[in-house]
């Protein structure tokens, strides 16, 4: 970490710097720019570019896109009605609940297009985008507070420093900026790995459901996969096929490639999910889950999306949470900047941690426990037993738990039961809050 108290020319300075232009960073930059804040968005790559992902969005994600002004009726977006869960020859269709302000449909779009669309919206809103600009570390003042970032720019790796009193880390699972500020990952929280590949499949590409398979076996151990497989339609002739898994409790990491090969042999031939129809390599990446990096605000630095470990431990969904956290961070920072530098502004910035924990704290705590006790041992099979699949109320409960719909107001009994269940989860203990306060 470099210390830096100086300031340089105007284009290197902003009110806020956002590191990383994935969904979290673009959302944060867009909402800040809309609030009239001068924001610099630094991205190490260029657009469009690929990102290893399942490309599936729940209604919660759709809500964020609408909020950002993205035209989801334009060509290229594929609407989904819900999920189809497959287990031991049984299937159940779970339509998106459409509760509260969430729409009743989901979407798919390849991240190649998706991230490009989002970053363009951020720029149109007024964010200043610097591509091929890789943040290499935080710049700090004598008190250890972040005051900017050092970067290397372009193929020549030209060093350049950028300055701002507030920095938002949206640099994904590597969490380089957070780590350099001493925000380590909590290793007790779940960390999954997922792999995906694109196939051409005319039969499956326009399926209105996201399909999840819960009865996959690990190739190495022959035991239940501590995760699930998916087939997500893209509507353009392709499907995104992948699987995600936690480390198998007591049996180590899962061989995703071999397990996927084994799974694909179970697919009906007319789905065309064969080697000759593959249109990409199989690629994998990590899924940091369950709010695994805390506190989410410290000494001028806010963590959003994967850099704060915000992937849902229930489902592996992370795009919606990344955009939502970007929005919360932007609103918090925009308000805080109206206060004079000092204790009042600091207190306002700390509100980000409270809001993240209000939205996801209890729900993720319950999810982390379920991931540890159930998913890491038996996968998703117990959730999709014959009994659960035969009960519409249990299936609706499951849908709400898996799709982060527990905070949406609803007037049905299932919604009330799920909300009460989550409210019963204890808030972070006094000890955890004291530890967070010490880390600030
Ligand atoms: C195989 C797989 C399948 C998945 N499927 C789904 C799914 O179907 N639905 C879903 O909701 N979620 C899914 N996820 C999770 C989802 O991909 C992530 O949660 C989401 O991308 C997080 O967004 P983010 O903006 O926080 O990070 P990212 O999308 O990782 O964006 C980070 C950005 O920061 C940039 N960056 C990194 N380091 C630096 C640096 N030093 N300087 C400048 N820029 C930097 C990167 O280039 C990138 O553009 C999946 C994940 C995996 C691995």
């Amino acid at each position: 970490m470099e210390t830096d108290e100086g300031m340089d020319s105007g284009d290197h300075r902003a009110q806020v710097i956002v590191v990383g232009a994935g969904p979290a960073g673009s959302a944060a930059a867009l909402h800040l720019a809309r609030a009239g804040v001068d924001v610099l968005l630094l991205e190490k790559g260029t657009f469009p570019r690929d990102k290893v992902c399942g490309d599936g969005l729940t209604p919660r994600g759709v809500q964020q896109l609408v909020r950002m002004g993205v035209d989801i009726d334009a060509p290229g977006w594929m609407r989904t009605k819900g999920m189809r869960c497959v287990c031991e020859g049984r299937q159940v269709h779970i339509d998106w609940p459409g509760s509260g302000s969430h729409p009743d449909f989901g979407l798919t779009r390849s991240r190649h297009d998706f991230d490009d669309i989002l970053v363009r919206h951020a720029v149109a809103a007024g964010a200043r985008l610097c591509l091929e600009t890789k943040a290499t570390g935080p710049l700090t003042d004598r008190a250890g507070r972040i005051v900017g970032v050092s970067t290397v720019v372009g193929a020549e790796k030209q060093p350049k420093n950028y300055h701002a009193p507030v920095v938002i880390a949206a640099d994904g699972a590597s969490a380089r900026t957070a780590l350099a500020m001493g925000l380590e990952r909590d290793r007790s929280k779940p960390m999954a790995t997922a792999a995906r590949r694109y196939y051409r499949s005319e039969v499956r590409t326009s399926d209105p459901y996201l399909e999840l398979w819960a009865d996959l076996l690990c190739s190495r151990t022959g035991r239940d996969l501590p995760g699930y497989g998916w087939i997500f339609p893209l509507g353009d002739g392709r499907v995104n096929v992948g699987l995600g898994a936690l480390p198998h409790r007591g049996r180590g990491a899962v061989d995703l490639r071999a397990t996927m090969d084994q799974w694909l042999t179970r697919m009906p031939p007319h789905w065309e999910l064969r080697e000759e129809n593959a249109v990409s390599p199989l690629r994998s990446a990590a899924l940091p889950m369950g709010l695994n990096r805390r506190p989410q605000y410290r000494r001028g630095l806010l963590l959003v999306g994967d850099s704060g470990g915000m992937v849902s431990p229930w489902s592996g969904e992370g795009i919606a949470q990344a955009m939502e956290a970007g929005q919360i961070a932007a609103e918090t920072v925009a308000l805080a900047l109206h206060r004079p530098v000092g204790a009042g502004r600091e207190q306002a910035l700390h509100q980000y941690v409270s809001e993240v924990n209000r939205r996801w704290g209890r729900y993720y705590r319950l999810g982390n426990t379920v991931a540890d006790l159930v998913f890491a041992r038996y996968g998703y099979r117990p959730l999709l037993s014959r009994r659960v699949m035969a009960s519409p109320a249990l299936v609706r409960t499951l849908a709400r738990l898996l799709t982060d719909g527990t905070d949406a107001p609803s007037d049905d009994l299932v919604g009330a039961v799920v909300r009460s269940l989550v409210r019963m989860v204890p808030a972070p203990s006094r000890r955890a809050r004291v530890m967070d306060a010490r880390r600030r």
Side-chain angles (χ1 to χ4, degrees):
M1 197 190 302
E2 245 177 274
T3 54
D4 188 314
E5 304 222 309
M7 286 282 172
D8 52 3
S9 72
D11 63 333
H12 297 175
R13 213 184 307 169
Q15 285 177 289
V16 181
I17 288 171
V18 179
V19 180
S26 288
L30 176 144
H31 290 292
L32 280 164
R34 271 196 194 157
V37 174
D38 177 25
V39 54
L40 264 171
L41 178 56
L42 310 181
E43 164 58 46
K44 69 176 180 184
T46 55
F47 293 96
R49 55 106 177 93
D50 203 13
K51 154 79 178 90
V52 183
C53 189
D55 307 329
L57 283 166
T58 59
R60 200 167 183 124
V62 179
Q63 186 191 33
Q64 285 301 321
L65 291 179
V66 171
R67 200 166 268 161
M68 291 168 74
V70 174
D71 178 6
I72 54 167
D73 293 322
W77 295 96
M78 162 86 194
R79 286 198 182 199
T80 60
K81 285 187 190 168
M83 298 178 287
R84 179 189 304 111
C85 298
V86 177
C87 190
E88 293 167 349
R90 301 182 298 272
Q91 299 191 347
V92 64
H93 289 86
I94 307 177
D95 286 348
W96 302 121
S99 42
S101 55
H102 298 165
D104 62 355
F105 62 92
L107 290 168
T108 62
R109 184 97 196 220
S110 79
R111 292 289 297 274
H112 182 268
D113 299 350
F114 183 85
D115 289 31
D116 188 36
I117 292 170
L118 258 50
V119 82
R120 282 170 192 268
H121 275 71
V123 170
R128 289 188 283 143
L129 174 66
C130 302
L131 295 172
E132 295 186 81
T133 303
K134 180 176 180 175
T136 49
L139 304 171
T140 57
D141 63 14
R142 282 197 201 102
R145 191 187 166 84
I146 195 163
V147 292
V149 289
S150 57
T151 70
V152 287
V153 181
E156 299 80 33
K157 299 199 177 359
Q158 195 75 34
K160 205 168 185 178
N161 289 352
Y162 288 91
H163 297 269
V166 179
V167 176
I168 296 180
D171 45 5
S174 71
R176 190 179 180 134
T177 311
L179 269 171
M181 286 292 286
L183 291 161
E184 297 285 335
R185 168 161 86 88
D186 176 350
R187 291 182 183 274
S188 70
K189 303 278 166 62
M191 175 71 111
T193 314
R196 68 95 174 94
R197 196 172 191 193
Y198 293 107
Y199 289 85
R200 293 224 147 265
S201 170
E202 287 308 324
V203 184
R204 299 302 311 259
T205 190
S206 301
D207 184 351
Y209 287 90
L210 299 181
E211 187 162 295
L212 309 176
W213 286 50
D215 60 351
L216 271 51
L217 298 178
C218 292
S219 60
R220 189 168 52 81
T221 60
R223 306 245 173 188
D224 281 323
L225 179 80
Y228 61 83
W230 71 79
I231 306 171
F232 290 174
L234 285 170
D236 61 359
R238 293 178 302 161
V239 286
N240 180 318
V241 183
L243 47 87
L246 293 164
H248 214 156
R249 188 104 184 155
R251 294 186 181 84
V254 172
D255 182 346
L256 292 178
R257 181 177 292 272
T259 303
M260 177 124 158
D261 286 348
Q262 192 172 286
W263 173 40
L264 288 175
T265 63
R266 293 172 58 190
M267 309 277 180
H270 70 283
W271 288 4
E272 302 164 313
L273 304 178
R274 292 186 299 272
E275 189 59 36
E276 61 268 33
N277 295 323
V279 287
S280 78
L282 180 74
R283 287 185 59 203
S284 63
L287 287 149
M289 295 174 155
L291 299 177
N292 76 356
R293 213 174 287 274
R294 293 200 350 243
Q296 296 90 11
Y297 171 74
R298 186 189 194 189
R299 294 184 190 158
L301 181 73
L302 295 91
L303 312 185
V304 296
D306 280 11
S307 83
M310 294 182 181
V311 172
S312 167
W314 288 96
S315 61
E317 179 190 10
I319 305 172
Q321 292 79 353
M323 293 188 291
E324 202 166 325
Q327 182 216 341
I328 303 168
E331 284 171 2
T332 310
V333 172
L335 284 171
L337 289 175
H338 285 289
R339 297 191 178 207
V341 176
R345 181 183 285 189
E346 208 47 24
Q347 205 180 9
L349 288 167
H350 277 296
Q351 287 307 309
Y352 176 62
V353 179
S354 311
E355 187 54 25
V356 164
N357 284 293
R358 189 190 67 73
R359 298 223 184 172
W360 292 297
R362 288 184 157 94
Y363 171 62
Y364 275 24
R365 268 193 124 196
L366 185 61
N368 288 342
T369 305
V370 172
D372 185 35
L373 296 180
V374 183
F375 301 154
R377 293 162 202 254
Y378 318 106
Y380 282 68
R381 199 192 289 263
L383 263 60
L384 292 163
S385 66
R386 189 178 299 278
R387 201 153 156 256
V388 174
M389 281 169 104
S391 158
L394 287 177
V395 166
R396 287 214 309 280
T397 306
L398 188 63
R400 282 196 183 240
L401 285 170
L402 292 181
T403 61
D404 204 350
T406 55
D407 60 350
S410 76
D411 45 14
D412 71 344
L413 185 63
V414 167
V417 168
V418 171
R419 272 206 315 283
S420 307
L421 179 71
V422 172
R423 276 206 207 109
M424 276 157 53
V425 177
S429 65
R430 204 177 113 69
R431 190 169 166 273
R433 288 200 304 272
V434 170
M435 294 296 285
D436 276 2
R438 279 203 194 127
R439 282 193 206 117
R440 280 170 199 163

